[in-house]
Amino acid sequence: MSPIEVHAVANRVRNEFNEMPGLRLTVCQAARLWGLDPPVCESVIDVLVRAAFLRWTAAGTVARIEG
């Protein structure tokens, strides 16, 4: 997946977390939900973590940063 495609998917993921603010997912759950291979899913999550939109929880899930 190209960087442009990763950012396009990241925008879709951002919208889903905005629609469901309490959403918490593991990489495997997220990959299934969004129809992505786990490594691609991790790339998308990394984009959103670096953008300070998502964070890793102590339980190993990703969640939206509140505030």
Side-chain angles (χ1 to χ4, degrees):
M1 183 174 278
S2 75
I4 292 173
E5 291 170 316
V6 168
H7 283 279
V9 173
N11 284 333
R12 188 179 98 206
V13 169
R14 184 187 301 264
N15 290 336
E16 292 195 27
F17 273 94
N18 281 331
E19 289 175 14
M20 298 177 278
L23 186 63
R24 284 173 168 55
L25 299 168
T26 65
V27 171
C28 289
Q29 290 169 331
R32 278 195 306 274
L33 179 64
W34 301 316
L36 301 171
D37 291 331
V40 172
C41 187
E42 285 186 53
S43 295
V44 170
I45 290 169
D46 287 343
V47 166
L48 293 170
V49 168
R50 283 193 309 270
F53 179 76
L54 294 181
R55 64 178 174 85
W56 287 103
T57 69
T61 60
V62 288
R64 191 178 88 176
I65 293 176
E66 302 296 326

